[in-house]
Amino acid sequence: MTDLTTRVTLPLPAGEPRPARPAPPAQAGESTAAAPDEQPSPERGPKMSQADVLLHLGMDEYVLVRCDQTAYAVPAEGPPIARPLRAAGGFGGTGSLRQLLNRSYVLRTGRAPSQGCLTDAIASMDALALDAPEQPVHLRIAPDPVDEQVTWLDLGRTDGQSVCIEPGTWSVITPPVGDGPLWRRTRLTGELPMPERDPGGWRVGLGLLRELSALAEPSWRMAVAWLLAGLRPNMPRPVAYFNGERGTAKTTSARQLLRVLDGIRAEVRNVPRSEDDGAVAASAGWTMGLDNIAGIPQWLSDFLCRTVTGASVAKREMYTDDDVASWAYQRPVVLTGIDVGALQPDLAERLLPFTLEMIDPKARRSEADLWRSYRAAHGRILGGLLDLAAAVWARLPDAAAQLDQRPRMADWAELLWALDAVTGWDTLATYTGAQEEVTDDVIDADPVATALTRWASAAYTTEWQATTGQIDTVLRPPGPLPDTWPKTTALLSARLTSLAPALRGRGIDIRKTPRTGSGRGFLITLHSTPEPRT
């Protein structure tokens, strides 16, 4: 059980009386003595400054906690929403601490506080928070503080009502302060509808989403699996990739999936200009959608891999010399595009492609009609997803013992096994087959991998030990080199290392050899039967 009862006790303030209606300006010769309300009262003690009153209000109404070196204020009696002390903006519609203190002061005194006094009061609370206990603060999805099999979903409501997903069931409650998760909100935290249970079960609820979606089998079932993974905290997930011709509703389909988990504010956005921009966006919202990807440069490929498996970014905080600001994130990601081009092997292993077919012009719906129907069905769709999640959570503990082989993201494979056990689907086999196709695409798009498979098909030996320079000489194609061919032997060595897992599936095993006087090279072994993919 988490202790949130640690509070700082300050002397009781001398309350400020509600001011009387302002008197007319004094005429010449009239007394300018203070009104009775403004006189100090011996019973109340000396009058306190606005900053002191605001400080007492803050310490009386909020409990201070810390998470990742950031101070938060949690209502002592209210929803478990942690508000960062230094935030000054709208804080996702729930109000920043600055706004709420301003509001409390106005309601109690009828006066508007000085903004400087607000700043001083919050700065004092920030200083007092140095002694506050550490408490995890979560965005949208959280593990239960006690039971690791239980997860929580923040509905983004001002009253703090959340969904508690347990093995076999789920319920909507307000997490008790100290026993449940603390939520943080941002301007990207949209409000989710109240989930509704359908008497027909999860198939009916999720069937409403399928009727609105352009996804067909088997992509539909994989999309459901991706949504379930989005309800799991601290879990690596594949990148959902919607591809197809123009007019196949790629962007609309991506929005539908994102909004199931993140509300109406979940959108697909332009590609960030840098990894820092992407990190800020990823840390501010639970889901991340990138629209119309035409190509994936190396930095973006690395960023996407880290986003779905977990990453953090640290950089110098603005207006400081040595202070550091950091963001940690692990997010469900959706991409859309007609053709993303050649993929890096690491990203290819984390990609979950959804191919969309052209929509019959007679079946195409207007945007207004589609989203009107989506909003009307959203509560039942979410309820259907939660029904299925509760059943899958009950089978997850058995998955580890049942899986003989796991892909790179083992947690994802276990979830697919549990989903298949509940539904009778074959999502694990579908994912494995899709991974083989993506791997083949990576090999076919890479000139080094293509040259190596061409050499292997005509080789008279099953083993080849050579330096990187010798490999470059043998594999280098005639004529002008492709732009993507490694320019140095060091780059070629790195390329061979990154391609090794993909080529192993085609019976080509690449391993580095110990360094010798002639340099370090590779041992390339050809297998008549490709090794099993893992």
mmCIF file of all heavy atoms in Angstrom, residues 167-183:
data_model
loop_
_atom_site.group_PDB
_atom_site.id
_atom_site.type_symbol
_atom_site.label_atom_id
_atom_site.label_comp_id
_atom_site.label_asym_id
_atom_site.label_seq_id
_atom_site.Cartn_x
_atom_site.Cartn_y
_atom_site.Cartn_z
ATOM 1 N N PRO A 167 -7.905 -9.847 -13.858
ATOM 2 C CA PRO A 167 -8.112 -11.101 -14.577
ATOM 3 C C PRO A 167 -9.556 -11.581 -14.416
ATOM 4 O O PRO A 167 -10.006 -11.893 -13.318
ATOM 5 C CB PRO A 167 -7.129 -12.062 -13.907
ATOM 6 C CG PRO A 167 -6.054 -11.184 -13.361
ATOM 7 C CD PRO A 167 -6.758 -9.934 -12.932
ATOM 8 N N GLY A 168 -10.305 -11.561 -15.505
ATOM 9 C CA GLY A 168 -11.677 -12.044 -15.487
ATOM 10 C C GLY A 168 -12.744 -10.988 -15.378
ATOM 11 O O GLY A 168 -13.916 -11.267 -15.654
ATOM 12 N N THR A 169 -12.398 -9.754 -14.987
ATOM 13 C CA THR A 169 -13.427 -8.735 -14.843
ATOM 14 C C THR A 169 -12.798 -7.351 -14.887
ATOM 15 O O THR A 169 -11.571 -7.199 -14.856
ATOM 16 C CB THR A 169 -14.186 -8.907 -13.522
ATOM 17 O OG1 THR A 169 -15.298 -7.993 -13.484
ATOM 18 C CG2 THR A 169 -13.287 -8.632 -12.332
ATOM 19 N N TRP A 170 -13.640 -6.327 -14.973
ATOM 20 C CA TRP A 170 -13.186 -4.941 -14.906
ATOM 21 C C TRP A 170 -14.282 -4.102 -14.264
ATOM 22 O O TRP A 170 -15.455 -4.488 -14.258
ATOM 23 C CB TRP A 170 -12.820 -4.393 -16.285
ATOM 24 C CG TRP A 170 -13.948 -4.398 -17.305
ATOM 25 C CD1 TRP A 170 -14.268 -5.408 -18.168
ATOM 26 C CD2 TRP A 170 -14.900 -3.353 -17.543
ATOM 27 N NE1 TRP A 170 -15.352 -5.067 -18.940
ATOM 28 C CE2 TRP A 170 -15.767 -3.809 -18.589
ATOM 29 C CE3 TRP A 170 -15.123 -2.101 -17.011
ATOM 30 C CZ2 TRP A 170 -16.815 -3.033 -19.080
ATOM 31 C CZ3 TRP A 170 -16.167 -1.320 -17.504
ATOM 32 C CH2 TRP A 170 -16.999 -1.780 -18.525
ATOM 33 N N SER A 171 -13.883 -2.963 -13.726
ATOM 34 C CA SER A 171 -14.838 -2.075 -13.063
ATOM 35 C C SER A 171 -14.369 -0.636 -13.205
ATOM 36 O O SER A 171 -13.188 -0.374 -13.423
ATOM 37 C CB SER A 171 -14.983 -2.448 -11.583
ATOM 38 O OG SER A 171 -13.723 -2.410 -10.930
ATOM 39 N N VAL A 172 -15.321 0.281 -13.095
ATOM 40 C CA VAL A 172 -15.027 1.719 -13.151
ATOM 41 C C VAL A 172 -15.131 2.280 -11.745
ATOM 42 O O VAL A 172 -16.202 2.242 -11.133
ATOM 43 C CB VAL A 172 -15.998 2.453 -14.098
ATOM 44 C CG1 VAL A 172 -15.693 3.951 -14.088
ATOM 45 C CG2 VAL A 172 -15.886 1.905 -15.517
ATOM 46 N N ILE A 173 -14.025 2.770 -11.216
ATOM 47 C CA ILE A 173 -13.992 3.333 -9.873
ATOM 48 C C ILE A 173 -13.023 4.509 -9.861
ATOM 49 O O ILE A 173 -12.242 4.698 -10.798
ATOM 50 C CB ILE A 173 -13.555 2.294 -8.814
ATOM 51 C CG1 ILE A 173 -12.150 1.776 -9.127
ATOM 52 C CG2 ILE A 173 -14.541 1.143 -8.711
ATOM 53 C CD1 ILE A 173 -11.606 0.855 -8.048
ATOM 54 N N THR A 174 -13.078 5.284 -8.804
ATOM 55 C CA THR A 174 -12.073 6.311 -8.577
ATOM 56 C C THR A 174 -10.972 5.706 -7.716
ATOM 57 O O THR A 174 -11.263 5.259 -6.594
ATOM 58 C CB THR A 174 -12.671 7.528 -7.866
ATOM 59 O OG1 THR A 174 -13.713 8.088 -8.673
ATOM 60 C CG2 THR A 174 -11.610 8.593 -7.622
ATOM 61 N N PRO A 175 -9.743 5.623 -8.209
ATOM 62 C CA PRO A 175 -8.685 4.983 -7.415
ATOM 63 C C PRO A 175 -8.549 5.645 -6.054
ATOM 64 O O PRO A 175 -8.452 6.872 -5.951
ATOM 65 C CB PRO A 175 -7.427 5.196 -8.260
ATOM 66 C CG PRO A 175 -7.926 5.415 -9.644
ATOM 67 C CD PRO A 175 -9.243 6.114 -9.492
ATOM 68 N N PRO A 176 -8.576 4.863 -4.983
ATOM 69 C CA PRO A 176 -8.418 5.456 -3.650
ATOM 70 C C PRO A 176 -7.020 6.033 -3.471
ATOM 71 O O PRO A 176 -6.034 5.431 -3.885
ATOM 72 C CB PRO A 176 -8.661 4.266 -2.706
ATOM 73 C CG PRO A 176 -8.350 3.054 -3.530
ATOM 74 C CD PRO A 176 -8.712 3.408 -4.946
ATOM 75 N N VAL A 177 -6.952 7.213 -2.894
ATOM 76 C CA VAL A 177 -5.664 7.852 -2.673
ATOM 77 C C VAL A 177 -4.836 6.987 -1.731
ATOM 78 O O VAL A 177 -5.262 6.632 -0.645
ATOM 79 C CB VAL A 177 -5.850 9.266 -2.085
ATOM 80 C CG1 VAL A 177 -4.499 9.873 -1.726
ATOM 81 C CG2 VAL A 177 -6.586 10.153 -3.061
ATOM 82 N N GLY A 178 -3.655 6.605 -2.195
ATOM 83 C CA GLY A 178 -2.776 5.768 -1.408
ATOM 84 C C GLY A 178 -2.816 4.313 -1.802
ATOM 85 O O GLY A 178 -1.855 3.588 -1.586
ATOM 86 N N ASP A 179 -3.922 3.854 -2.386
ATOM 87 C CA ASP A 179 -4.047 2.447 -2.770
ATOM 88 C C ASP A 179 -4.097 2.248 -4.279
ATOM 89 O O ASP A 179 -4.012 1.111 -4.744
ATOM 90 C CB ASP A 179 -5.315 1.842 -2.159
ATOM 91 C CG ASP A 179 -5.201 1.670 -0.656
ATOM 92 O OD1 ASP A 179 -4.060 1.602 -0.175
ATOM 93 O OD2 ASP A 179 -6.237 1.631 0.025
ATOM 94 N N GLY A 180 -4.273 3.299 -5.042
ATOM 95 C CA GLY A 180 -4.349 3.198 -6.485
ATOM 96 C C GLY A 180 -3.289 4.050 -7.154
ATOM 97 O O GLY A 180 -2.454 4.673 -6.488
ATOM 98 N N PRO A 181 -3.302 4.108 -8.479
ATOM 99 C CA PRO A 181 -2.291 4.899 -9.193
ATOM 100 C C PRO A 181 -2.571 6.388 -9.111
ATOM 101 O O PRO A 181 -3.708 6.815 -8.865
ATOM 102 C CB PRO A 181 -2.421 4.391 -10.633
ATOM 103 C CG PRO A 181 -3.854 3.961 -10.743
ATOM 104 C CD PRO A 181 -4.223 3.416 -9.400
ATOM 105 N N LEU A 182 -1.533 7.164 -9.298
ATOM 106 C CA LEU A 182 -1.655 8.610 -9.469
ATOM 107 C C LEU A 182 -1.540 8.915 -10.953
ATOM 108 O O LEU A 182 -0.653 8.411 -11.639
ATOM 109 C CB LEU A 182 -0.551 9.350 -8.708
ATOM 110 C CG LEU A 182 -0.611 9.314 -7.184
ATOM 111 C CD1 LEU A 182 0.548 10.117 -6.610
ATOM 112 C CD2 LEU A 182 -1.934 9.844 -6.677
ATOM 113 N N TRP A 183 -2.427 9.763 -11.445
ATOM 114 C CA TRP A 183 -2.434 10.112 -12.864
ATOM 115 C C TRP A 183 -1.849 11.487 -13.088
ATOM 116 O O TRP A 183 -2.073 12.404 -12.299
ATOM 117 C CB TRP A 183 -3.855 10.096 -13.419
ATOM 118 C CG TRP A 183 -4.583 8.795 -13.304
ATOM 119 C CD1 TRP A 183 -5.735 8.551 -12.616
ATOM 120 C CD2 TRP A 183 -4.222 7.548 -13.911
ATOM 121 N NE1 TRP A 183 -6.104 7.246 -12.749
ATOM 122 C CE2 TRP A 183 -5.199 6.599 -13.535
ATOM 123 C CE3 TRP A 183 -3.166 7.143 -14.724
ATOM 124 C CZ2 TRP A 183 -5.154 5.279 -13.951
ATOM 125 C CZ3 TRP A 183 -3.116 5.822 -15.133
ATOM 126 C CH2 TRP A 183 -4.103 4.912 -14.754
#
